[in-house]
Amino acid sequence: AQSVSQHNHHVILSEAASLELGCNYSYGGTVNLFWYVQYPGQHLQLLLKYFSGDPLVKGIKGFEAEFIKSKFSFNLRKPSVQWSDTAEYFCAVSKTDSWGKLQFGAGTQVVVTP
Amino acid sequence: GAVVSQHPSRVICKSGTSVKIECRSLDFQATTMFWYRQFPKQSLMLMATSNEGSKATYEQGVEKDKFLINHASLTLSTLTVTSAHPEDSSFYICSARPRVEREYSYNEQFFGPGTRLTVL
């Protein structure tokens, strides 16, 4: 069955620490990959996406993600987090022939302490 | 930027009643809208895909007679929860995929703020 796995459900770290959130998927064929963020009380926002080309993609707010096809992974990274990065982060996958239907991972709650 | 609104943001209803939730793309036309459901501390689960002018496509396990979806125009889709029961209480989120993709990234979709439904 197709699935999207996020390994960390809850992460707590201090400001200026580095962040890496894992995402693995099990899909056949070509996929589009996304990371979304949901700040407290706000709607989902797109952080970054990968469709093709350079497997290292840069998004907003200093986030980046690397697509490793052989590992079916799309891990999210930020070298130095801020308190304002406290949010829930969702990895999502869409098959290219699916009209954009997204399957989401379970999400990772990230808490950044001052 | 592309903005999607939902109305109402929060609704409380009695068991057995029907509730309609609207999803509007405010500054773009959407060929496709998606409806998701999010349980507390869980991820978003796709319920159905709504294309303007055609019947919605429901995901496996989603009752189409219970969750009626109407995509009446390129800017409006509605989800009606019929004969709601407490187990239907959840956070319902819509997203919209722009019609004119050259103005946006391919396959990009924009999310509404969600509607919190509580069925007593």
Side-chain angles (χ1 to χ4, degrees), chain B residues 59-71:
Chain B
E59 295 301 300
Q60 193 172 9
V62 178
E63 299 176 59
K64 62 181 181 181
D65 294 330
K66 180 165 190 62
F67 298 100
L68 301 179
I69 292 172
N70 187 323
H71 195 151

Side-chain angles (χ1 to χ4, degrees), chain A residues 32 36 38 43-44 46 49 51 90 94 99-102 104-106, chain B residues 34 36 38 43-44 46 49 59 97 105-109 111-113:
Chain A
N32 302 142
Y36 285 89
Q38 189 172 29
H43 60 276
L44 277 167
L46 181 66
K49 59 188 179 291
F51 290 155
F90 294 95
S94 170
W99 308 313
K101 288 166 50 173
L102 290 171
F104 283 85
Chain B
F34 302 92
Y36 296 85
Q38 186 178 27
S43 188
L44 285 78
L46 179 65
T49 303
E59 295 301 300
R97 181 177 172 182
S105 297
Y106 170 74
N107 217 6
E108 188 164 5
Q109 55 188 276
F111 286 81

Side-chain angles (χ1 to χ4, degrees), chain A residues 43, chain B residues 1-7 22-30 33 73-77 94-98 104 110-113:
Chain A
H43 60 276
Chain B
V3 179
V4 176
S5 70
Q6 281 184 241
H7 178 80
E22 292 187 348
C23 175
R24 291 183 185 273
S25 55
L26 298 185
D27 50 3
F28 65 98
Q29 293 183 327
M33 289 185 172
S73 74
L74 285 171
T75 60
L76 173 65
S77 176
C94 73
S95 70
R97 181 177 172 182
Y104 304 93
F110 300 92
F111 286 81

